[in-house]
């Protein structure tokens, strides 16, 4: 992977969390791809497929002043040519989530095509261990 | 998207659930990409990055006779050139999960580079509605 690609993808990932934290729908909208298919899976929700549904969900989420601040605790990048997967942990109030953010190259930019976040059962555990409650499902 | 690509990706997705259901580690291993980076996030777990960690997790899971059978309830494909995202619901015993399975083209085959599954709060809800418990986190 080229270092510049990795940096550009991490920048795009950081912009996602900045837009989220600032409740900036315009920045969030610009971040999502507008020519490729997009998918978003918020924790507990079904999958939202297509830009209109995805952005409608963000409109609701970013309008919610009661939502706790979000922080991206760490992020690692895996490049698949013109698509890149970012794996991150998220701190959302007291909750810990694990998220995948997938970006696709769009000219010189990287734009989001997938966000999926879900609960992390045991944030203190090693990443390759099942949750301590044995709650492994698949 | 070409129909043949869509069919080939859905075939690969079906093979994933067949390998899971038959507890077939060899088929599961063959399904995962072996030249591109791979990531797997089981429900509640942290992210497993890299083929060795991912396959070690499947070795443990497929050896567990107590695990309930899994079914892929529906799957839709979104093509991003040489990468394809599949969104599916999973029935695992009484639990309902939502999963993303990402495949990358490998010659004439499609091989898995990402599996992430998480709980679905309200399987009966419309997919674009938040869970009825208001448990939307992000």
């Amino acid at each position: 992977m080229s270092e510049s690609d990795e940096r550009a993808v991490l920048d795009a990932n950081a912009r996602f969390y900045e837009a989220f934290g600032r409740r900036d729908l315009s920045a969030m909208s610009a971040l999502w791809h507008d020519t490729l298919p997009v998918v978003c899976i918020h924790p507990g929700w079904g999958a939202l497929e297509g830009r209109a549904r995805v952005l409608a969900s963000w409109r609701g989420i970013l309008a919610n002043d009661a939502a706790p601040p979000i922080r991206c605790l760490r992020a690692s990048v895996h490049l698949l040519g013109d698509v890149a997967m970012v794996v991150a942990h998220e701190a959302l109030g007291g909750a810990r989530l694990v998220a995948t953010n997938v970006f696709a190259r769009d000219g010189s930019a990287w734009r989001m095509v997938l966000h999926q976040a879900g609960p992390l059962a045991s944030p203190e555990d090693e990443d390759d261990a099942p949750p301590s409650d044995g709650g492994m499902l698949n």
Side-chain angles (χ1 to χ4, degrees), chain A:
Chain A
M1 172 184 344
S2 90
E3 278 186 36
S4 64
D5 276 338
E6 180 173 356
R7 206 161 32 230
V9 171
L10 285 172
D11 282 352
N13 189 67
R15 283 199 303 279
F16 169 74
Y17 289 101
E18 286 163 14
F20 199 152
R22 289 199 317 264
R23 311 255 178 272
D24 185 339
L25 182 62
S26 165
M28 181 62 82
S29 173
L31 192 76
W32 284 84
H33 218 293
D34 60 0
T35 56
L36 289 177
V38 299
V39 174
C40 187
I41 304 177
H42 301 292
W45 293 37
L48 304 174
E49 298 174 83
R51 185 172 166 88
R53 286 186 162 203
V54 169
L55 290 183
S57 77
W58 285 110
R59 191 171 300 116
I61 289 166
L62 299 182
N64 177 7
D65 290 334
I70 191 162
R71 279 186 305 134
C72 178
L73 295 180
R74 54 177 171 167
S76 58
V77 184
H78 303 282
L79 200 69
L80 313 165
D82 290 332
V83 172
M85 305 186 286
V86 176
V87 176
H89 283 194
E90 299 176 348
L92 190 76
R96 290 293 179 276
L97 304 171
V98 57
T100 305
N101 300 318
V102 177
F103 298 86
R105 204 189 296 267
D106 185 17
S108 62
W110 289 88
R111 298 179 75 189
M112 193 168 250
V113 292
L114 171 70
H115 169 72
Q116 180 173 5
L120 194 56
S122 304
E124 297 78 17
D125 282 0
E126 290 300 313
D127 278 355
D128 51 356
S132 56
D133 65 357
M136 186 278 295
L137 289 173
N138 77 352

